Amino acid sequence: MLIFFLGVLSQWIAWRLQLPAIVLMSISGLLVGPIFGIISPAERFGELFSPIISLAVAIILFEGSLNLNFKEVKNFSKPLWRIATWGAFIAWIAGSLAAHYMAGLSLAVSFVIGGLFIVTGPTVILPMLRQAKLKPRPAAILKWEGIVVDPFGALLALFAFQFVLFAMGEESASAFGLFFLASLFSVLLGIVAGWGMGRMFEKGQVPEFLKSPMVFAVVLLVFAVSDTVMPQTGLLAVTSMGIMMANMNITSINEMRHFKENISVLLISSIFVMLTASLSLDILIGIFNPRIIAFVLAMLFIVRPLSIWLSTIGTDLSFQEKLLVGWIAPRGIVALTVSGYFAATLMDAGFEDAELLTALTFALVFSTVVAHGFSIGWLGRKLGLVSSVEPGILIVGSSRFTVKLGKMLHDMNKNVLIVDSAWGRLRLAREEGVPNFNGEILSEHTEYEKDLTPYETMIVASENDSYNSLVTSNFVPKLGRTHLFQTAIHIGNPKDFHASLSGKTLFGPEWNIQALEEKAEEGYAMRKTQLTEQFTYEKFREKSVEGTIPLFIERAQGKIEFFTAENGAEPKTGDTIVSFSPPAHQEIRTQEKLETSRIKSGIQS
């Protein structure tokens, strides 16, 4: 209970304080584990501890690979391929040399552990990317590298171990053949399982309520079968299965992604608490060994940058992208769990210095998680690789009203974009100079063609109520219901649309898109009114022309808050109210201008 609670609590606190969640999870595990001795998961779970961790990692890796659609990297497959192959090889050799000369490990142990340390797994990189909001290209490179290289790190360490035993004369050449056959088997097993599940889903042979549970069970089965044939190959199998399903255009893939993402968040939170809580004080003290510190510094500032810069020579990656990718390489759960396996195996084989592996690995994991978790957002902004410092507003549906709304937001220097599938309906937006995009917001091609990462708020205001509800329900997992707005239902009974299918109702239940369009045709215009101590919100309401519709508030800090039917915003002194006002008589306009000038003159005096 405590593990689950601390994991989710760490995620929530990290979200509230905008801190790296991985860091808080690790700290909470250390506090309840080795520091205060409240729990010791390794002792409590006993023999189940390692299998639980391994199965959880398999689910997390599969969830990450479900997002690996090849369309995402079609424009930069060359640098990604270089990083995942030559970059991994360079990191292996350089990391092995660092472990030998810096940490003082034997060449054999360094050769094995150097292969493992090429991983930058999804358990740490995905939460970081979710928080940093990088531009699509560097974010995709880091995500793909983390997921694809993750299983190969364990396989590379296993290959190095087999090679060491062969060099010592304790293993025959046939062991290499078995190793490669087992690796091939795991890839084929994952591909066949993924293809089979996808075909069953598309043919309607699995009901909707069983799809996610069945995938969950098959992932565990594929992992267990592959790992039984050859240890540490299960991760490769589930990654192959996920990539296969991600590229089959399965209609229910989004529902599976949402289910797996929820499971992964819970598992990542819990596993980091379990692993850090299971460490001993001796291991914590051991990480302050000067040799270990020197090794960590070499991995951070020499091995990783060197592998990225050498492997991406001749690619179209910019200097800023190379610098960011060359710095960000957090290690996570796979490194911790697999290093424990190899520490015991190497010690059984007579390599006594392998007892340092656990402390060495934890030092690298914790250092990279802290250093990269706190720096990824800052460095991304400094290098111009963050999508937008200020969250943007995405408007779905182009009309007279939405163009007027977009124009006002654009003139207020807000990041706004109007999206519509009809080129003709965007004509007015183009004429007014409002940023716009011609495409279907529900199409996956839109996500690849247009960077939607900067837009944290969405307004859905098409003429089709059902379409509006479909769009809002589709984007709930990505944006959250508090950032989704739609115009009021104007056809049929609003009660026919369940609350779970709709966003917040903009402006009020009577202001549907047709009503707003009629007002726009009557000459209604957008107007800004700044509130002062003399001209309060109450006076604004008294002076407003009859029929004025308050739309949103710009807070003194620049944040936008929309008026909704669910809860009215509370304007304060210093805020600016934007309203949709009828064409007032010239005398009223002149009077308001004179009154505003008088108030300002009084303030200045």
Side-chain angles (χ1 to χ4, degrees):
M1 180 281 299
L2 190 60
I3 289 169
F4 278 116
F5 175 74
L6 287 175
V8 176
L9 180 64
S10 299
Q11 290 265 18
W12 180 74
I13 294 175
W15 171 76
R16 293 284 296 179
L17 302 180
Q18 293 298 300
L19 295 174
I22 300 295
V23 176
L24 294 186
M25 296 176 214
S26 302
I27 293 175
S28 63
L30 292 175
L31 290 175
V32 299
I35 295 179
F36 293 112
I38 299 174
I39 59 173
S40 178
E43 294 181 4
R44 292 291 182 92
F45 287 109
E47 294 182 356
L48 290 176
F49 182 76
S50 293
I52 288 174
I53 298 293
S54 298
L55 292 173
V57 171
I59 295 168
I60 294 167
L61 200 57
F62 172 76
E63 187 272 329
S65 62
L66 269 183
N67 296 294
L68 299 185
N69 194 309
F70 290 118
K71 295 177 182 178
E72 184 180 17
V73 294
K74 63 181 180 180
N75 295 326
F76 51 93
S77 57
K78 182 179 179 180
L80 181 62
W81 171 254
R82 290 274 197 88
I83 291 172
T85 53
W86 288 110
F89 178 76
I90 295 169
W92 177 27
I93 301 303
S96 300
L97 293 175
H100 177 63
Y101 290 105
M102 298 293 184
L105 299 177
S106 63
L107 277 174
V109 175
S110 300
F111 191 51
V112 174
I113 205 65
L116 176 61
F117 285 159
I118 69 171
V119 301
T120 60
T123 57
V124 284
I125 197 65
L126 293 182
M128 286 184 184
L129 293 177
R130 191 179 296 120
Q131 189 176 44
K133 301 187 184 304
L134 299 178
K135 288 184 177 179
R137 181 156 141 148
I141 289 175
L142 289 171
K143 179 182 73 173
W144 274 74
E145 182 200 10
I147 297 171
V148 173
V149 175
D150 211 45
F152 286 106
L155 284 177
L156 197 56
L158 185 61
F159 166 79
F161 179 66
Q162 297 283 351
F163 181 82
V164 167
L165 294 181
F166 173 75
M168 294 174 60
E170 298 184 10
E171 197 76 71
S172 63
S174 61
F176 280 106
L178 291 175
F179 168 78
F180 287 111
L181 285 175
S183 301
L184 180 61
F185 169 78
S186 64
V187 172
L188 293 176
L189 177 63
I191 291 175
V192 171
W195 181 83
M197 293 297 297
R199 292 290 295 170
M200 289 177 66
F201 290 170
E202 291 303 282
K203 289 184 175 182
Q205 296 175 348
V206 180
E208 289 295 327
F209 75 95
L210 272 183
K211 285 183 177 179
S212 292
M214 181 170 284
V215 171
F216 187 87
V218 172
V219 167
L220 297 182
L221 176 65
V222 167
F223 174 80
V225 170
S226 182
D227 238 35
T228 302
V229 173
M230 174 71 74
Q232 309 307 323
T233 61
L235 297 180
L236 185 59
V238 297
T239 303
S240 302
M241 179 178 173
I243 294 176
M244 183 68 195
M245 296 186 71
N247 290 275
M248 289 181 66
N249 296 320
I250 302 172
T251 53
S252 54
I253 192 72
N254 286 331
E255 289 78 5
M256 284 187 285
R257 283 172 180 160
H258 299 160
F259 174 77
K260 292 293 185 296
E261 185 178 13
N262 293 334
I263 295 292
S264 293
V265 168
L266 187 62
L267 291 177
I268 291 173
S269 306
S270 306
I271 289 174
F272 259 93
V273 175
M274 288 177 65
L275 288 173
T276 52
S278 299
L279 297 172
S280 64
L281 283 174
D282 293 337
I283 292 176
L284 291 183
I285 296 172
I287 67 175
F288 295 102
N289 185 320
R291 283 183 169 272
I292 291 180
I293 295 175
F295 167 76
V296 171
L297 292 176
M299 293 293 290
L300 285 172
F301 297 103
I302 299 176
V303 174
R304 174 64 177 183
L306 183 68
S307 66
I308 296 300
W309 283 86
L310 290 180
S311 64
T312 55
I313 292 175
T315 66
D316 61 346
L317 286 188
S318 66
F319 172 81
Q320 291 83 355
E321 289 171 329
K322 289 181 181 180
L323 192 61
L324 179 69
V325 176
W327 168 244
I328 302 299
R331 275 67 171 187
I333 294 173
V334 172
L336 278 174
T337 55
V338 179
S339 69
Y341 166 81
F342 281 109
T345 305
L346 286 166
M347 289 178 68
D348 291 340
F351 298 96
E352 295 182 359
D353 57 331
E355 65 180 356
L356 293 175
L357 289 186
T358 303
L360 189 74
T361 305
F362 180 73
L364 182 62
V365 169
F366 193 74
S367 299
T368 54
V369 163
V370 172
H372 299 153
F374 278 106
S375 64
I376 184 172
W378 174 84
L379 184 60
R381 288 190 293 273
K382 290 294 182 181
L383 297 175
L385 297 177
V386 172
S387 296
S388 176
V389 176
E390 182 181 357
I393 299 170
L394 188 67
I395 302 176
V396 179
S398 181
S399 61
R400 287 179 180 270
F401 170 76
T402 57
V403 170
K404 287 178 178 289
L405 178 62
K407 175 69 173 173
M408 174 57 74
L409 289 167
H410 184 61
D411 292 344
M412 295 171 69
N413 296 319
K414 303 302 177 184
N415 186 13
V416 64
L417 179 70
I418 297 179
V419 178
D420 200 296
S421 58
W423 175 262
R425 285 198 293 264
L426 288 169
R427 178 182 59 82
L428 186 57
R430 292 191 294 271
E431 292 175 353
E432 294 291 338
V434 182
N436 59 88
F437 177 77
N438 178 221
E440 172 53 61
I441 192 64
L442 295 175
S443 171
E444 66 175 7
H445 296 290
T446 299
E447 187 175 351
Y448 301 138
E449 295 173 10
K450 186 68 179 178
D451 178 18
L452 301 180
T453 309
Y455 305 99
E456 291 191 353
T457 299
M458 177 180 286
I459 295 174
V460 189
S462 78
E463 296 179 354
N464 190 319
D465 294 326
S466 298
Y467 177 78
N468 293 345
S469 296
L470 178 62
V471 172
T472 53
S473 61
N474 183 267
F475 278 87
V476 164
K478 299 178 183 178
L479 302 178
R481 203 170 295 279
T482 57
H483 295 282
L484 281 167
F485 303 89
Q486 71 180 79
T487 49
I489 306 297
H490 67 279
I491 297 178
N493 188 349
K495 294 182 179 179
D496 293 340
F497 291 81
H498 194 272
S500 63
L501 299 176
S502 305
K504 291 185 175 182
T505 304
L506 278 173
F507 319 136
E510 71 276 17
W511 295 117
N512 56 63
I513 190 62
Q514 285 190 349
L516 293 169
E517 278 293 275
E518 290 174 1
K519 298 302 181 185
E521 291 177 2
E522 291 174 7
Y524 270 54
M526 299 284 169
R527 304 186 66 187
K528 292 192 300 182
T529 305
Q530 186 172 13
L531 300 182
T532 64
E533 292 183 0
Q534 290 78 17
F535 194 76
T536 62
Y537 182 53
E538 288 71 22
K539 285 191 176 182
F540 163 78
R541 297 184 65 179
E542 291 176 6
K543 298 293 184 179
S544 294
V545 179
E546 184 179 355
T548 296
I549 310 168
L551 300 181
F552 63 86
I553 301 170
E554 183 188 31
R555 298 295 185 186
Q557 301 80 11
K559 183 180 178 182
I560 297 294
E561 291 185 18
F562 289 93
F563 287 93
T564 64
E566 288 76 13
N567 58 310
E570 298 181 3
K572 301 176 182 177
T573 300
D575 295 344
T576 299
I577 297 179
V578 174
S579 57
F580 200 38
S581 303
H585 294 293
Q586 187 64 36
E587 306 90 85
I588 297 178
R589 290 184 177 180
T590 304
Q591 182 181 354
E592 287 182 349
K593 289 180 180 179
L594 290 173
E595 186 173 355
T596 301
S597 300
R598 181 179 59 79
I599 292 172
K600 288 183 178 179
S601 299
I603 293 174
Q604 291 174 356
S605 62

